[in-house]
Structures are given as C-alpha cells and as structure tokens.
Amino acid sequence: MKIIASTNGRTGIFAAMDVLRRGGSAIDAVEAGIRLVEDNPEDHTVGYSGLPNLLGEVELDASIMDGRTRAAGAVGAIKGFPYAISVARRVMEELPHCFLVGEGAARFGREMGCEERELLTPEARDIWRQLLEAKVPEVYAGRMRYLEKIRQYARVTADPERPNETVNFIAMDAAGNLCCGVSTSGWAWKYPGRLGDSPVIGAGNYADNRYGAAACTGRGEMAIRAGTARAMVLYLGMGMTLDEAGPAVMRDLYQLEDEYFGRVSMIAMDAKGGHRAFSLAPDATYLHFGAAMAAPEELPRVYVAGPA
Ligand code: GLY
C-alpha cells in the first residue's frame, strides 16, 4: 500500500493513507485525499478558493481513473461544487459516460446530491482583480472585449509558478489496485470554458493496473497535445523502466512549439509500486507515503532540462 502525490497533496495524504490502512480501496483513498486539498482555502489552485476565470467565476476540472478496470470519470468547467473529484467519481460509477462539462456536470452533481458551495473566496477574488486592474485595466473596466486581449492575458498569467497548479494523487491499495486522481481550478484568468489536462483522460491522468499510472500538473495545453499521462503508461507497458520512460515523455514536451511554454510536471507509479516524478522545472518535489511510514517523505523530482 502506498500513495504518491504532488507536494500540495500534503493536506490530504494522511487521510488517504488512513483509508488504505483501514482496508479501503485505492479509489476511496484518492478521493479522500483530494477532497481535503479541494477544501483547503489556502490553496488557490484547486477546489474551493481556486483562482477564477477571466469573468471571475471559479471553474473546476477533475478526473479519476480506476487502474483495475480502466473506468474513468471526469468533469470540466464545473461551477459551484467544491468536491469536483467526487462528482468525477460519480460520473465514473453512475453513468455510461466518462466526461461531463459545464451545466451538464453541475446538473449531474445536483442530481447526485453532491455538496454545492460558492467557491470564490474574497482572497481569491482580490488576487484575480488586482492582476486584471494592474495588467489589463481597460478590460477590467469593461472598455474592451476580453477576446481582444486574451493573448495578453495569457502572457501575463502564463507564469508557470502560479496559475496552472493542480493536485495529483496515485494510490496502490492492499489488493495492488491503482487509482489516479487529479483536480484543479485550472489556468487562472483562463478564457471561460477552457479545459486543461486535468480532466482529460490520457493527458493529465491515466491508470492501468497492468503497467502503472501517471498524473500531470502544469501547463495543461502541452500535456493535452502530447498525451503525456497515457504516453507514460504506454511506455511502461512497452517494457521501459520509470527512469527510461519518464525522461522520454518529458523530453517530448520540448518538441511542442508553444508561445506560452511552461512547466509541466508528472508523478508516476509502476505496476509494482515503484515511483518517480519528473519536471521541466528544477527543484520540484513530490510526496511518497508507504504504509509502514509514520509520515510522507518529500522527494526530489527528476529535472528534465531539455529535449536531448
Ligand atoms: N494542469 C492544470 C491545467 O492546465 O489546468
């Protein structure tokens, strides 16, 4: 039994391990861990208090994938539901679909009785407003359509240290089953309706008991274009080790032409519970929590510095 997570998963990783220790499934553990991160008002990149889109509305993306069956559930651009991961899980378990977005996702969440809440906190609203006022005041004042300025916004907000963070959890339970979960408020100041990689199975999330699981954070457009999480699991399935597959997958991202090129990071676990994490940025870390450990350890990610 073990869990790996992005470093901001610290808020939820103890609860997730408790679930595994009590005999819960990897799916239960991932959901429990991510819910606590989604509820953390100090994390402006996930769930409640996430930074909003261009219009000041918080839109959440989340996905969950069961490595045993490769069933998956995802929601995109859902508003008003703090626990997007739980809505995604219900999509996986209750519907013949994998992916709901926007109004349909919210309608489904309501029908499932998922908790609803105003997600925009005063602090997140201030951060949102201050950047708009400072950097694109004519749009903030309503004197210019945001479409005319979206590229400028994107440049302003493409700081990879800030707006694209996300939480990743991968758990392996006592039966050896893998589950991978991802949740985010996405690229802050994004164009309304924009989806990143987090809810896109194959881009930000993939799990297959036979080979392993992978999850991404960072500039989601790049992970979508490269199919990053699926590529990682595919390479593991082709017989590569974590240390061979991870750098190969990350190096491929450098081949993307991208005006807004930014950090992408990935955590990965193989079918035996081996784990690594990778990043296009130096000094990044991730968490590993084994069942015999008293607390998670924070480990360095492998820094993939360039395409060669
Ligand atoms: N990786 C999160 C996003 O791009 O929305």
Side-chain angles (χ1 to χ4, degrees), residues 61 164-166 184 186-187 194 196-198 216-221:
D61 300 338
N164 291 64
E165 279 308 337
T166 297
T184 187
W187 186 335
R194 175 264 186 191
D197 59 322
S198 304
C216 301
T217 63
R219 177 155 163 67
E221 283 75 2

Side-chain angles (χ1 to χ4, degrees), residues 25-27 63-73 92-93 173 177-181 201 205-209:
S25 69
I27 298 171
S63 66
I64 191 161
M65 187 160 185
D66 176 0
R68 188 178 67 81
T69 59
R70 283 189 286 164
M92 175 172 78
E93 293 178 342
D173 62 25
N177 291 318
L178 289 168
C179 176
C180 185
I201 296 301
N205 182 339
Y206 204 78
D208 182 336
N209 271 9

Side-chain angles (χ1 to χ4, degrees), residues 44-131:
H44 295 305
T45 68
V46 179
Y48 173 69
S49 89
L51 288 171
N53 68 16
L54 214 42
L55 301 178
E57 304 160 337
V58 182
E59 293 178 326
L60 303 183
D61 300 338
S63 66
I64 191 161
M65 187 160 185
D66 176 0
R68 188 178 67 81
T69 59
R70 283 189 286 164
V75 290
I78 186 171
K79 295 182 206 166
F81 290 82
Y83 303 116
I85 194 68
S86 295
V87 187
R89 179 175 179 175
R90 302 303 288 266
V91 171
M92 175 172 78
E93 293 178 342
E94 305 294 338
L95 289 179
H97 309 311
C98 289
F99 200 170
L100 295 180
V101 298
E103 276 310 309
R107 177 193 180 99
F108 174 72
R110 224 166 282 126
E111 286 181 0
M112 289 292 111
C114 297
E115 181 180 327
E116 295 182 63
R117 197 191 303 167
E118 170 56 58
L119 302 181
L120 184 63
T121 61
E123 194 187 347
R125 190 178 190 289
D126 282 349
I127 297 170
W128 170 81
R129 182 181 52 78
Q130 280 161 16
L131 180 134

Side-chain angles (χ1 to χ4, degrees), residues 109-173:
R110 224 166 282 126
E111 286 181 0
M112 289 292 111
C114 297
E115 181 180 327
E116 295 182 63
R117 197 191 303 167
E118 170 56 58
L119 302 181
L120 184 63
T121 61
E123 194 187 347
R125 190 178 190 289
D126 282 349
I127 297 170
W128 170 81
R129 182 181 52 78
Q130 280 161 16
L131 180 134
L132 288 190
E133 273 182 329
K135 304 285 185 179
V136 272
E138 65 278 49
V139 177
Y140 185 70
R143 293 195 301 273
M144 184 176 283
R145 287 190 320 134
Y146 50 75
L147 194 55
E148 291 160 18
K149 284 282 182 176
I150 184 66
R151 295 178 73 81
Q152 182 178 335
Y153 276 127
R155 236 171 253 116
V156 167
T157 60
D159 171 1
E161 299 305 320
R162 233 170 20 141
N164 291 64
E165 279 308 337
T166 297
V167 66
N168 295 159
F169 267 73
I170 298 174
M172 176 180 273
D173 62 25

